Amino acid sequence: QVVRELERDDPYHGFLVRRTRSLAAARAFRDGVRLAERSRNQEARAAFERALAADPAFWPAPLYLATLAKANARFDDAHALIARVREMLPHPEATEAVVVEAPSAYVAEDNQGQLEALQRALGLFPGSGYLAYRTAQSLRMQDRPDEAIPLLERLLERNWRPDWSPTREVLAWCQLLAARHEDVLKTCQAGEERFPTRHRYSYLAACALQQLGRRDEARWALGTAIRKSLDHSGTAPRTVHQTAAYWAAMLRLPEE
């Protein structure tokens, strides 16, 4: 039942959960994946730790713990967890080796290695929305938006994770990098309608409007982004103001 649930959601996660025969480990891993998808990192970490406790040989658990540690700037822990995975899996099968390589490159901050590993993994699991999104995100970081945009558009067409905003946010970023400014405005409008409290859409729209020479509209959109960040992000007000100053400088609106 647990395996079927994860395989139905994403074949990549279905492959990973099959690395254990422990029901408790599988359930905890499923919970960890779902919590991580909602950025509830502390709860996800606890779930993956439960999975590892239930099956000490279940290497996908420390693999996910490593990515969470890296995302939360616990760099020593992340490297130690990757080393633990390699000890648990001294002779990986071909698919297992590919799966381990992308998180390892992420922890090592090897952006090109991570992209290549993600592309290989996506070739093995072409139906994986998770891998498609991660690949698109990596392509954006490599300043290759024209390759990322089709991946993100297909995810939206598939209605992949409809309650998750970053898919459209990364698409808008890529469209901005590709100078597709009108497309940015369309993506941001759709994103704001679906996720009205997210501030990044207003900021990206401001960038596009500025590039289109619509300065007054850009200033208004920037103000909206700042207000939403203050009201909904949970970030300390001083940090929001510092970020807002950076945004205004990027948009050449120093008076803001």
Side-chain angles (χ1 to χ4, degrees), residues 43 45 76 91 93 134 150 154 169 175 204 212 232 253:
E43 295 168 84
R45 178 184 175 186
D76 290 343
H91 304 293
E93 299 173 1
R134 291 288 308 280
R154 282 197 292 271
E169 293 175 15
Q175 291 167 333
L204 293 168
L212 289 167
H232 303 294
L253 298 172

Side-chain angles (χ1 to χ4, degrees), residues 2 10 29 32 38 42 51 57 65 77 106 109 112 118 144 165 177 189 191 221 237:
V2 173
D10 196 295
F29 181 76
R38 299 197 297 275
Q42 288 188 341
L65 286 169
D77 290 347
Y106 169 65
E109 299 187 354
Q112 182 59 31
L118 285 168
R144 294 161 62 179
S165 178
L177 289 171
Q189 181 180 358

Side-chain angles (χ1 to χ4, degrees), residues 171-192:
L171 175 59
W173 266 113
C174 290
Q175 291 167 333
L176 188 64
L177 289 171
R180 291 168 50 175
H181 302 122
E182 293 292 348
D183 288 340
V184 175
L185 298 180
K186 292 176 184 176
T187 299
C188 289
Q189 181 180 358
E192 284 196 284

Side-chain angles (χ1 to χ4, degrees), residues 22-43:
S22 163
L23 178 58
R27 282 175 171 165
F29 181 76
R30 175 199 59 194
D31 295 345
V33 166
R34 290 177 175 172
L35 289 162
E37 287 175 351
R38 299 197 297 275
S39 300
R40 292 166 59 179
N41 289 351
Q42 288 188 341
E43 295 168 84

Side-chain angles (χ1 to χ4, degrees), residues 142-182:
Q142 294 261 1
D143 199 16
R144 294 161 62 179
D146 291 330
E147 296 172 69
I149 288 170
L151 290 172
L152 296 162
E153 288 177 337
R154 282 197 292 271
L155 288 177
L156 292 173
E157 288 168 4
R158 287 168 46 191
N159 201 33
W160 178 74
R161 289 170 66 175
D163 295 327
W164 202 61
S165 178
T167 310
R168 280 192 178 85
E169 293 175 15
V170 176
L171 175 59
W173 266 113
C174 290
Q175 291 167 333
L176 188 64
L177 289 171
R180 291 168 50 175
H181 302 122
E182 293 292 348

Side-chain angles (χ1 to χ4, degrees), residues 20-28 47-58:
T20 184
R21 293 181 179 274
S22 163
L23 178 58
R27 282 175 171 165
F48 290 128
E49 287 175 343
R50 290 197 303 273
L52 186 58
D55 180 358
F58 183 40

